[in-house]
Every structure is written in C-alpha cells, then in structure tokens.
Amino acid sequence: MNIDKLLSWISPLVLGALLGLYEISHGLFYVLYGTPDQKRDYPLEIVLGLLFTAVCLVGHWLIRRISHSHARTIWMIESILVGMIIYGFYRS
C-alpha cells in the first residue's frame, strides 16, 4: 500500500470520527451497566457521538472528493478546520 494513499485515509477528521465512536461506546457502556442516574444521562453522549462521527466522516468524504485524494491537501485543509474548531471551543 502506498504511503500517500494511507495518509489520505488517516487524517484529522477520521481521527475525530474515531473519537466519536469512543463516545458512543462509552455512553453505551454506562447505559447498559451504569447506575440509574447514569442510565438516564448517558444516552445524550451516544446521540452526540453519532452526530460527531457522521459530521467528521461526511466532511472527510467531501474534502477527499474536492482535493482528488491528494494526501497533503487533505491534511492541510482538515488540520485547519480542526484547529479552528478547537480554537472556537476554547474561546467560547
């Protein structure tokens, strides 16, 4: 497998989608095995994890289509987007 192709698939938004999958599994664990208070509070984490994963994957797909699968362009665009999201999160 070419390293350029591998880098075009492993990018900041794909790593964000993996973070969303972690949120889903974390929430699902507490919904299934948690205390009654946790069972009430953690479904929101599952829903937000699904939304976060979907947005990251669709964003990655769009950027990949626009950049014609050039790994360097994908990484630059997605790094700028993730940086702006993190900056906005800490500024709010």
Side-chain angles (χ1 to χ4, degrees), residues 2-92:
N2 190 358
I3 191 74
D4 193 42
K5 187 171 183 143
L6 181 67
L7 284 176
S8 71
W9 279 103
I10 299 174
S11 64
L13 285 180
V14 173
L15 296 176
L18 290 176
L19 182 66
L21 287 175
Y22 170 75
E23 283 184 37
I24 294 167
S25 63
H26 184 257
L28 191 60
F29 175 79
Y30 280 106
V31 166
L32 294 176
Y33 303 111
T35 64
D37 288 336
Q38 290 172 334
K39 288 182 180 184
R40 185 189 69 225
D41 294 336
Y42 280 91
L44 180 62
E45 189 171 356
I46 296 170
V47 171
L48 292 177
L50 286 169
L51 178 66
F52 193 71
T53 302
V55 167
C56 285
L57 290 178
V58 168
H60 175 72
W61 179 76
L62 285 173
I63 291 169
R64 194 171 154 80
R65 297 280 294 180
I66 291 169
S67 68
H68 302 291
S69 299
H70 294 292
R72 186 178 302 147
T73 308
I74 291 171
W75 269 84
M76 284 190 302
I77 294 171
E78 290 186 9
S79 296
I80 291 169
L81 285 174
V82 169
M84 287 172 37
I85 290 169
I86 291 171
Y87 176 75
F89 178 76
Y90 283 116
R91 293 287 294 176
S92 65

